[in-house]
Amino acid sequence: MKTLVDKLCLKHTLSAEEYRSLLLCEDADTNAYLQEKARQTTIARFGNAVYIRGLIEISNRCRNNCLYCGIRKSNTMVSRYSLSRETILSCCREGYALGFRTFVLQGGEDLSQTDDWITDTVSTIKHEFPDCAITLSLGEKSLATYQRFFEAGATRYLLRHETFNEAHYRELHPSEMNRDHRLLCLEWLKIIGYQTGTGIMVGSPGQTIDHLVEDIQFIERFQPEMIGIGPFIPHADTPFGNEPAGSIEMTLKLISIFRLMHPSALIPSTTALATLSPDGRERGILAGANVVMPNLSPSSVRKQYALYDNKASFGSESAEGLKLLEEQLNEIGYKISYLRGDFVSSNHCHSEEL
Ligand code: SAM
């Protein structure tokens, strides 16, 4: 089985059957070898520096009803909020002073935050912080809207495809949503020129190994600049409230596979991983991730952006806990990079960062 790891490391691709065998492999030596190769690949490409992104959860209102998500429209237990532009700007100011040079604006598909309003918010942030990157993660929009956000100054967009398999997509989403439209949005983002991120939840209800192979092969073809992989975690007030959480081991394995498949990708060690295990974030880094996204949202609303139960948002998951994060990273031989950390393709060297 280790020869498969070597092959992936060398060729950056495997056949569907080979990916399947690797995903099913429970041999501890092989899995440790996979992680080691992924870690070496990350270090060769980025050194021991981990990029930080300040995550601002701008709204928990959402017109969608994704069955897994705690802020789905039908969840009447949620106390809803939409941040004002001034509040978002003060989060950016606080983040800038702490050293953040990327702001990620994430939220539900909130119709009260209109496309005009988001465009103006992006330009205002860009104007005040011209040296910062703005990432959006606001769901599905039209091509023209994505274009306007880009022209206003957003250069990165995160939109997980969630699952490539069409039947599985239908199990996770209401009938108004469809996989092909999600994939079309991803194509648009790429065409416009965004550094585009996609990804999946690991262990979402109904997910099989074959679905994961389809996801891997989609990501291999699509070549996103960013790959977001986190375990599914149930939220009590959703239809999937009694489903088990995804596996940490499988999440780590996928991070390593994606690192070997796409050495220059920006791969976060996600909050969901840190929520499931106290050392989850460090384990993600040791499996090949190279980004963390501390929470910069006002502390008064953090609990309301509950995508799943017990979501971590304080301590080293928070922007104000950066020192703690730094210490935790130092303990495993890594350090925070305060650079913007744009995607740079394999043909270029990260000389300033190494
Ligand atoms: N509305 C935007 C979108 O659809 O991309 C961004 C916000 S959405 C809440 C961000 C991500 O949260 C989703 O892509 C999904 O993968 C993740 N998520 C939602 N519910 C989750 C859960 N129960 N467990 C783990 N991740 C979850």
Side-chain angles (χ1 to χ4, degrees):
M1 200 58 79
K2 284 188 184 173
T3 56
L4 281 188
V5 177
D6 290 333
K7 184 175 172 189
L8 181 58
C9 195
L10 200 68
K11 307 235 184 250
H12 311 300
T13 184
L14 293 176
S15 69
E17 204 37 58
E18 289 169 330
Y19 280 130
R20 196 169 193 284
S21 313
L22 207 50
L23 291 174
L24 286 171
C25 172
E26 287 182 2
D27 173 55
D29 275 358
T30 307
N31 291 336
Y33 185 65
L34 172 66
Q35 282 201 16
E36 187 188 315
K37 284 285 177 192
R39 187 158 62 240
Q40 286 169 2
T41 302
T42 317
I43 294 213
R45 190 75 191 75
F46 300 96
N48 65 345
V50 175
Y51 294 124
I52 49 167
R53 318 312 197 183
L55 178 65
I56 309 172
E57 295 157 336
I58 66 169
S59 170
N60 70 353
R61 293 181 206 279
C62 192
R63 65 176 169 151
N64 291 328
N65 237 337
C66 306
L67 275 75
Y68 45 83
C69 187
I71 61 167
R72 65 199 303 268
K73 181 172 76 181
S74 298
N75 185 2
T76 53
M77 307 299 281
V78 180
S79 148
R80 304 282 174 175
Y81 73 87
S82 313
L83 297 187
S84 68
R85 185 173 300 142
E86 202 34 59
T87 304
I88 296 172
L89 279 169
S90 61
C91 294
C92 294
R93 286 181 198 125
E94 187 190 330
Y96 193 89
L98 289 166
F100 287 91
R101 293 298 176 266
T102 294
F103 303 121
V104 181
L105 272 49
Q106 189 185 85
E109 294 190 21
D110 177 352
L111 297 176
S112 74
Q113 292 179 336
T114 63
D115 295 346
D116 283 347
W117 184 88
I118 290 167
T119 307
D120 289 348
T121 304
V122 170
S123 357
T124 312
I125 298 173
K126 194 71 204 165
H127 187 255
E128 188 167 336
F129 305 98
D131 55 332
C132 293
I134 302 172
T135 307
L136 298 180
S137 177
L138 300 172
E140 299 179 25
K141 304 279 176 187
S142 68
L143 171 62
T145 298
Y146 285 143
Q147 183 76 49
R148 288 178 63 205
F149 294 168
F150 188 77
E151 282 159 15
T155 52
R156 306 176 188 161
Y157 206 102
L158 306 175
L159 185 76
R160 289 184 177 178
H161 66 286
E162 315 294 1
T163 176
F164 185 77
N165 182 277
E166 226 178 327
H168 186 222
Y169 193 93
R170 282 197 297 270
E171 284 178 54
L172 300 181
H173 297 95
S175 56
E176 317 81 82
M177 295 180 76
N178 74 80
R179 183 209 62 163
D180 286 349
H181 191 260
R182 194 91 178 163
L183 298 183
L184 182 62
C185 287
L186 283 167
E187 286 298 333
W188 288 339
L189 292 165
K190 262 248 160 123
I191 290 166
I192 292 168
Y194 281 98
Q195 293 170 44
T196 305
T198 195
I200 58 166
M201 284 173 294
V202 179
S204 57
Q207 184 180 69
T208 65
I209 291 290
D210 288 330
H211 294 156
L212 289 175
V213 173
E214 287 183 56
D215 290 318
I216 293 173
Q217 292 197 305
F218 164 66
I219 289 181
E220 191 179 310
R221 286 191 302 278
F222 186 68
Q223 290 283 306
E225 285 77 15
M226 302 171 285
I227 306 173
I229 306 294
F232 159 77
I233 305 178
H235 185 295
D237 302 318
T238 64
F240 292 152
N242 292 321
E243 297 287 337
S247 134
I248 296 183
E249 293 307 327
M250 185 58 91
T251 306
L252 297 173
K253 189 183 266 192
L254 282 158
I255 289 175
S256 299
I257 290 176
F258 285 123
R259 171 58 64 210
L260 293 181
M261 197 182 88
H262 193 359
S264 357
L266 296 156
I267 304 181
S269 185
T270 55
T271 304
L273 203 48
T275 299
L276 275 194
S277 158
D279 60 351
R281 195 198 12 254
E282 290 90 319
R283 291 175 73 188
I285 302 290
L286 293 171
N290 67 325
V291 173
V292 291
M293 297 169 63
N295 199 313
L296 253 188
S297 309
S299 46
S300 56
V301 300
R302 280 185 205 167
K303 290 283 172 223
Q304 285 155 254
Y305 197 81
L307 307 180
Y308 42 81
D309 291 334
N310 307 314
K311 180 168 158 277
S313 58
F314 289 95
S316 56
E317 269 307 307
S318 67
E320 63 279 8
L322 220 49
K323 224 175 130 40
L324 184 59
L325 173 66
E326 180 99 63
E327 285 164 16
Q328 289 174 348
L329 291 178
N330 290 166
E331 267 172 38
I332 55 165
Y334 288 78
K335 60 177 190 187
I336 290 177
S337 164
Y338 288 90
L339 298 172
R340 268 170 59 125
D342 283 290
F343 174 83
V344 181
S345 81
S346 304
N347 305 330
H348 298 90
C349 183
H350 270 239
S351 51
E352 59 162 337
E353 284 133 354
L354 291 177

